Amino acid sequence: MSEEISSVVDIDQQEYIINIGPQHPSTHGVLRFVVSLQGEVVKSLQPHIGYIHRGIEKMCENLTYQQIIHLTDRMDYLSAHTNNEAVCLCVEKALGIEVPERVKYIRTILDELTRLASHQLWWCSFGMDLGGQTCYFYGLRDREKILDIFEETCGARLLLSYNTPGGLMWDIHPNFQKRIKEFIKYFRKKLPEYDAILTGNVIMHQRTEDIGILSLEDAISYGITGPTARASGFSCDVRKRYPYSAYDKADFKEIIYTKGDTFHRYQARMDEMWESMKILEQLVDNIPEGDFTAKMKPVIKLPEGEYYQRVESARGELGVFIVSKGEKYPYRMKFRSPNFCNLAIMNKLTSNFKIADLIAISGSLDLVIPDIDR
Amino acid sequence: MKSFIKYISDIFSGVASLLKGMRVTGKYFFSPRAIVTQQYPENRHKKGKKKLEMFDRFKGEVIMPHSENNQHKCTACGICENNCPNGTIEVISVMNIGEDGKKKRALDKHIYRLSMCSFCALCVKTCPSKALAFSQEFEHAVFDRKKLIKILNKPGSTLMKGIE
């Protein structure tokens, strides 16, 4: 008997496996991490995905191009407008039509508002992951203002469905520009509060600095995009490199940090909020007059071929790939979603860090699970 | 010695950073005017100062506006049914023989399943006679899911004159 007890392996040396998720609040959705631990140290991590797989790509094969738009809302629901725009730009590219300037400006403005709202929500939940409950209320308070702008113009707060191939569903609300200017004035005062609460906080610094370092080589070879990659010094901003809509008319900086740890990923997103406000200020007064949609046939048939369009969503590069056989339905539709690629690095980032760091790292990647599973 | 001084200064700078954050939260704690929380079930009645109202364009649920003579604009063409991505709408039409002896299609039932609707607004946008609209109703919870299947045209309603 005494022999058996002594043969039990020392708990510090033994690896054991626990599940984080699928119903864990810090995974922000139904994502399951199977973590192999040695004591408190993460040895390896395996993400299990597919809990919210709805087969959106397959569903698209039986829908017309106008109907696809509302499904793309439900992939990355925090940057719904950007997803809509990606499909619309791809269809417009395939048809070879030029949308009116007004549409381009409005799309860009809504893109940046979406990015702001998304980064605000990320800031809320990142603060809460680290144990700062206050952040959640302050972030949501300011996000509410953006959602009101969306609601007044698009008719919905989250799943906008405001784009349609060739333009927009309807024209902007008369209050649209006024509200955005009010919001920028308001948020320029509130963003320093974010810094006071979380950015300068000593607990936050110690939990994020030198944690989960992503090297530039890894960022490129794993296909990481968005603020996550730009914090490692990978210049990959689609808005800057392959401008679409009205981004070529706006003057803004691509935020690049070099260290690639959790704190720099945090900083990259915080700085992006300032840049987004700069873009908004430049564009909001210059919306040209004109139609809110190009002339489109009621039934859109893409010419036979393969088409690809990429946009910068709040989390990275979103690609839309359409294979058309000349029918009114696509033959194949593929989404290159930023979150799926960003998730792949999780094992490498977390290994040999503590389990509490895992929460900070996965928060700093800003994962949206329905976009991973589609 | 150097590390000791750093240790002490880290403590002070750490406490200072915490106090900096506390100043923001304290400011809101002592100024109740800055609170933006809406008391939801209380603010939906007219009695309170602020009545809870949605914006005009808010996509609550699809309705079919009727005139005071119980007339609607739906010609039962079925374009909304074809455009709906989820099969939410079902248009049931009847063939009436008009005064001139010609057969004419008329609306019998416009069935709308709220539980399947994803509020993409394609039906409202593509309707050629503008018979459909969105209401600002947002409290959709019911006890029986059968109540979510709605017939949009009111009983006894007819087609508005001048709409083909």
Side-chain angles (χ1 to χ4, degrees):
Chain A
M1 188 65 191
S2 60
E3 257 182 34
E4 270 179 37
I5 292 171
S6 62
S7 72
V8 171
V9 191
D10 184 10
I11 190 109
D12 290 339
Q13 298 303 313
Q14 193 186 18
E15 277 196 21
Y16 62 99
I17 289 170
I18 62 161
N19 285 301
I20 298 182
Q23 294 294 345
H24 192 277
S26 76
T27 56
H28 305 280
V30 276
L31 174 66
R32 176 171 152 223
F33 291 132
V34 178
V35 189
S36 168
L37 291 173
Q38 201 173 63
E40 215 186 341
V41 178
V42 177
K43 282 293 155 198
S44 74
L45 177 145
Q46 216 176 359
H48 282 230
I49 61 169
Y51 288 92
I52 192 163
H53 176 67
R54 295 149 293 177
I56 285 182
E57 285 176 9
K58 188 72 190 166
M59 278 159 85
C60 288
E61 290 168 20
N62 295 313
L63 294 174
T64 64
Y65 291 102
Q66 289 101 327
Q67 290 173 339
I68 284 169
I69 304 296
H70 94 287
L71 278 179
T72 57
D73 275 342
R74 278 131 182 107
M75 296 194 318
D76 184 351
Y77 49 83
L78 291 176
S79 43
H81 182 268
T82 323
N83 297 357
N84 294 169
E85 194 186 354
V87 178
C88 292
L89 286 172
C90 195
V91 172
E92 284 152 15
K93 197 176 176 182
L95 289 172
I97 55 162
E98 185 74 21
V99 294
E101 282 291 296
R102 186 180 176 80
V103 176
K104 289 184 181 174
Y105 272 73
I106 296 169
R107 277 180 179 174
T108 314
I109 288 171
L110 282 168
D111 259 350
E112 288 310 308
L113 282 176
T114 310
R115 195 181 315 282
L116 268 174
S118 168
H119 282 351
Q120 279 168 353
L121 189 78
W122 159 81
W123 182 79
C124 308
S125 51
F126 186 63
M128 205 164 76
D129 286 348
L130 298 179
Q133 187 94 54
T134 325
C135 305
Y136 208 82
F137 300 111
Y138 285 23
L140 285 189
R141 174 196 64 194
D142 302 336
R143 182 166 174 262
E144 195 69 18
K145 306 255 175 201
I146 298 181
L147 296 190
D148 276 348
I149 299 173
F150 286 160
E151 195 181 344
E152 199 172 35
T153 288
C154 315
R157 298 168 70 78
L158 196 63
L159 309 171
L160 304 178
S161 297
Y162 185 52
N163 270 313
T164 177
L168 306 167
M169 291 292 265
W170 38 71
D171 208 351
I172 52 169
H173 197 273
N175 285 347
F176 184 66
Q177 281 145 301
K178 197 186 89 193
R179 269 179 181 271
I180 289 175
K181 276 183 243 169
E182 274 171 14
F183 169 74
I184 293 171
K185 210 175 149 196
Y186 167 85
F187 196 52
R188 276 195 183 277
K189 278 185 208 144
K190 295 291 176 190
L191 203 45
E193 272 184 12
Y194 287 25
D195 288 336
I197 293 172
L198 198 60
T199 313
N201 193 302
V202 61
I203 301 166
M204 145 90 182
H205 269 270
Q206 289 184 354
R207 284 198 64 180
T208 55
E209 269 175 359
D210 296 324
I211 299 294
I213 295 170
L214 171 65
S215 67
L216 176 61
E217 290 76 28
D218 279 346
I220 293 170
S221 63
Y222 276 76
I224 312 289
T225 46
T228 312
R230 290 198 282 280
S232 303
F234 179 21
S235 162
C236 60
D237 200 329
V238 181
R239 296 175 289 169
K240 204 88 184 164
R241 308 219 132 210
Y242 307 95
Y244 53 95
S245 292
Y247 279 114
D248 47 350
K249 292 175 186 87
D251 174 40
F252 64 101
K253 235 174 34 209
E254 185 182 2
I255 306 294
I256 296 212
Y257 280 85
T258 47
K259 204 169 166 193
D261 62 347
T262 305
F263 186 67
H264 273 190
R265 284 197 283 279
Y266 172 88
Q267 280 283 299
R269 288 202 170 82
M270 293 303 275
D271 289 359
E272 264 194 13
M273 285 204 245
W274 288 107
E275 288 303 313
S276 287
M277 280 197 284
K278 255 191 221 166
I279 299 173
L280 283 175
E281 275 176 341
Q282 289 168 36
L283 296 183
V284 72
D285 279 325
N286 303 325
I287 301 177
E289 294 294 316
D291 289 336
F292 61 87
T293 177
K295 272 227 154 85
M296 297 292 286
K297 286 175 195 161
V299 178
I300 296 172
K301 284 184 181 171
L302 294 199
E304 207 173 320
E306 297 175 357
Y307 309 97
Y308 185 73
Q309 171 69 40
R310 50 177 153 191
V311 296
E312 179 81 16
S313 89
R315 269 152 213 87
E317 178 186 322
L318 173 78
V320 175
F321 180 62
I322 300 177
V323 181
S324 172
K325 295 272 179 195
E327 314 259 320
K328 65 176 180 174
Y329 305 126
Y331 177 76
R332 172 84 170 93
M333 192 108 184
K334 162 91 177 104
F335 297 105
R336 183 254 183 234
S337 66
N339 289 298
F340 183 76
C341 300
N342 290 3
L343 174 74
I345 199 77
M346 270 302 278
N347 181 28
K348 204 154 196 175
L349 283 188
T350 51
S351 57
N352 293 325
F353 283 105
K354 296 265 164 59
I355 192 155
D357 298 334
L358 190 157
I359 306 299
I361 292 167
S362 81
S364 74
L365 291 182
D366 192 15
L367 300 170
V368 168
I369 315 305
D371 194 31
I372 295 170
D373 294 342
R374 270 161 289 157
Chain B
M1 190 62 199
K2 225 176 191 178
S3 66
F4 179 71
I5 293 170
K6 194 181 177 296
Y7 177 75
I8 297 292
S9 68
D10 276 0
I11 290 178
F12 279 104
S13 65
V15 170
S17 79
L18 292 180
L19 287 176
K20 202 176 157 196
M22 295 284 273
R23 206 171 65 198
V24 177
T25 50
K27 199 178 85 193
Y28 286 108
F29 185 71
F30 289 110
S31 59
R33 276 194 174 186
I35 293 171
V36 293
T37 313
Q38 293 183 20
Q39 302 294 332
Y40 164 56
E42 286 84 11
N43 68 350
R44 53 200 259 256
H45 299 297
K46 279 178 185 171
K47 277 180 188 173
K49 272 184 186 174
K50 260 191 180 175
K51 198 200 158 199
L52 187 63
E53 266 183 357
M54 293 290 127
F55 292 108
D56 297 341
R57 290 182 183 178
F58 179 69
K59 293 185 269 193
E61 63 179 283
V62 177
I63 51 164
M64 189 182 282
H66 284 61
S67 71
E68 57 269 30
N69 305 328
N70 205 13
Q71 287 177 323
H72 59 74
K73 293 181 186 168
C74 181
T75 56
C77 64
I79 287 178
C80 51
E81 191 180 340
N82 290 336
N83 269 298
C84 183
N86 312 314
T88 309
I89 294 172
E90 196 179 331
V91 180
I92 298 171
S93 57
V94 285
M95 284 303 206
N96 286 346
I97 296 167
E99 291 157 7
D100 51 350
K102 274 184 184 171
K103 273 188 179 176
K104 208 181 170 197
R105 193 162 51 171
L107 181 68
D108 184 26
K109 271 181 191 168
H110 191 289
I111 300 170
Y112 168 61
R113 295 181 181 85
L114 179 58
S115 51
M116 285 158 74
C117 183
S118 59
F119 307 102
C120 62
L122 283 176
C123 52
V124 176
K125 193 174 187 287
T126 53
C127 182
S129 56
K130 306 252 181 298
L132 297 173
F134 274 113
S135 78
Q136 275 69 53
E137 179 64 40
F138 61 96
E139 287 160 328
H140 294 311
V142 284
F143 279 105
D144 189 356
R145 76 167 80 159
K146 277 176 195 153
K147 285 181 185 165
L148 293 172
I149 301 173
K150 301 185 178 192
I151 295 168
L152 294 187
N153 55 325
K154 288 178 187 164
S157 60
T158 50
L159 183 65
M160 210 175 273
K161 268 185 188 149
I163 288 164
E164 292 296 318

